[in-house]
Amino acid sequence: MKPVPKDGVLDIAVYVPGKSRAPEGIKLHKLSSNETPLGPSPKAIEAARAAVADLAHYPDGQASELKTAIAEVYGLNTRNILCGNGSDELLGLLCQCYLAPGDEAIHTEHGFLVYEIQIQAAGATPVVAPERERTADVDAILAKVSDKTKLVFLANPNNPTGTYLPFDEIRRLHAGLPSHVILVLDAAYAEYVRRNDYGAGIELVSSADNVVMTRTFSKIYGLAGLRVGWMYGPEAIVETLDRVRGPFNLNAAAIAAGTAAIRDRAFIEEAARFNAEWLEWTTRAVEALGLSVTPSVGNFILIHFPETPGQSAADADAFLTARGFILRRVTGYGFPNALRMSIGSEEANRGLVGALAEFVKSPSS
Ligand SMILES: *Cc1c(COP(=O)(O)O)cnc(C)c1O
């Protein structure tokens, strides 16, 4: 008799993170995990350094300082905020607390892979709602709701497509859900979006009992290495997750750096401006090479390759990796012939486009 994990766990496809290695002697441009090329606010670095001076003590288990900073910046009540070891932890806690074997949770066709993993880890059944033109489809999601549905996960904007639903569509989705189903709005890229019809979800959470919004410090805030995320939700849901989380789920450096980072609004505005400029430049430059790009409102683009032998996404990946440009294969997301590129520094973006230009001209083998 051997130890056997509970049902569902061994069905999980292991999450494969973006690669981070280049051939020796070549400058690495890691454009595979949607990290910011600008790094964190210098104030966040300073705060993390200061925290390191006191490593013998446990951190504040309530992360009060961070919750207060978030509440002040967004005009929220701290009782509606829960901080996590990255937003991934919060997504996992939602599954642990609200899903049991036999339950269903819905995610979209090209949705973030962490949802499926966490749903399966809770012993529940992931249900996939098809997308339309690589964009979530409210009617398709609603059509998948059954009496077993407990959670609906929606990344808005979505990773890896970069597409989004306008807020009136989110409202329509919420209006169509039974009141016992929690709508999880994952707004990891909200700070990057420059569209008048977009909303991350704060207004909806504030006025409903069954909507939560998750946010992260891993993207525009440049703190992916420290693992900081937060959730805004109804008190009943926040309190539920609070019972199950680790008592010290955020470390001291994460709390300190997150607090300083979210207060540095000028830094974030500049990071958003930088991204808007290079998102547009890179999209146009890649399209000018004859490749199609899914229109993105995030800090990354999905580049589609032709079926021509020698010109596939796998060929491009090998070609670019050999030149130090690490992009993300997205086969696991249903795009076997595309690569996701994070918007990088000016040098990285220009270099990538140059290398891609060489690649598309290279003779097909
Ligand atoms: C990057 C990303 C996150 C962030 O996860 P963390 O655990 O906070 O680093 C969440 N959702 C989506 C869709 C993402 O792409």
Side-chain angles (χ1 to χ4, degrees):
M1 295 287 269
K2 279 191 287 184
V4 176
K6 66 182 181 182
D7 278 356
V9 172
L10 295 184
D11 299 331
I12 294 172
V14 174
Y15 183 85
V16 184
K19 287 182 293 182
S20 55
R21 239 169 265 150
E24 223 167 291
I26 289 182
K27 178 159 182 189
L28 171 79
H29 295 287
K30 184 175 187 272
L31 305 174
S32 58
S33 300
N34 299 346
E35 297 143 336
T36 172
L38 305 178
S41 155
K43 292 174 184 163
I45 298 174
E46 203 178 299
R49 279 222 179 87
V52 168
D54 181 23
L55 293 183
H57 291 108
Y58 277 100
D60 168 16
Q62 298 302 322
S64 305
E65 163 181 80
L66 177 58
K67 276 190 208 165
T68 301
I70 294 167
E72 282 176 14
V73 166
Y74 287 99
L76 310 174
N77 192 315
T78 53
R79 285 199 305 274
N80 297 103
I81 297 170
L82 186 71
C83 297
N85 189 252
S87 50
D88 284 355
E89 183 190 27
L90 300 164
L91 300 170
L93 286 169
L94 284 162
C95 291
Q96 265 187 69
C97 293
Y98 288 94
L99 296 177
D103 289 341
E104 295 176 356
I106 299 172
H107 64 83
T108 67
E109 184 181 357
H110 303 297
F112 190 39
L113 285 176
V114 168
Y115 311 144
E116 189 184 27
I117 293 174
Q118 295 296 347
I119 295 163
Q120 288 177 297
T125 307
V127 174
V128 181
E131 299 190 5
R132 246 186 13 204
E133 293 177 26
R134 303 175 190 129
T135 308
D137 176 344
V138 167
D139 297 303
I141 296 171
L142 292 175
K144 292 289 178 185
V145 174
S146 78
D147 50 11
K148 295 177 185 154
T149 308
K150 295 285 160 60
L151 297 172
V152 172
F153 287 100
L154 184 71
N156 198 34
N158 184 50
N159 166 21
T161 51
T163 57
Y164 78 106
L165 285 184
F167 201 56
D168 55 4
E169 280 291 277
I170 302 290
R171 282 194 192 284
R172 191 164 76 81
L173 171 59
H174 174 251
L177 290 175
S179 58
H180 68 275
V181 173
I182 299 176
L183 174 60
V184 182
L185 298 171
D186 178 347
Y189 301 95
E191 295 84 357
Y192 288 114
V193 184
R194 300 194 155 191
R195 291 289 188 284
N196 288 334
D197 60 356
Y198 175 77
I202 290 183
E203 300 87 337
L204 194 56
V205 175
S206 303
S207 62
D209 293 328
N210 64 332
V211 186
V212 300
M213 171 192 75
T214 58
R215 303 288 285 258
T216 184
F217 283 80
S218 300
K219 304 289 156 57
I220 204 166
Y221 289 100
L223 294 174
L226 279 180
R227 317 299 305 124
V228 194
W230 59 282
M231 183 184 87
Y232 174 52
E235 248 181 278
I237 298 177
V238 167
E239 273 178 9
T240 301
L241 270 56
D242 211 23
R243 291 165 196 263
V244 175
R245 70 176 174 89
F248 304 102
N249 57 337
L250 272 82
N251 67 68
I255 294 169
T259 303
I262 202 162
R263 291 195 192 279
D264 193 349
R265 301 318 295 167
F267 186 88
I268 295 313
E269 273 166 37
E270 170 53 22
R273 194 210 55 76
F274 176 91
N275 183 70
E277 178 185 341
W278 286 99
L279 175 68
E280 190 184 335
W281 183 89
T282 310
T283 302
R284 289 199 180 162
V286 172
E287 284 176 339
L289 299 176
L291 298 169
S292 98
V293 176
T294 301
S296 170
V297 296
N299 68 333
F300 54 90
I301 54 174
L302 191 59
I303 307 172
H304 303 271
F305 290 83
E307 303 291 339
T308 327
Q311 289 288 306
S312 71
D315 297 315
D317 188 38
F319 186 96
L320 295 170
T321 300
R323 286 154 185 80
F325 297 97
I326 314 295
L327 273 61
R328 183 74 140 82
R329 294 293 309 269
V330 280
T331 306
Y333 284 97
F335 297 112
N337 209 18
L339 295 176
R340 190 193 66 199
M341 173 203 171
S342 310
I343 300 302
S345 64
E346 173 171 355
E347 182 194 355
N349 301 331
R350 289 189 187 279
L352 180 282
V353 167
L356 212 46
E358 260 182 76
F359 170 74
V360 298
K361 273 188 265 149
S362 66
S364 307
S365 48

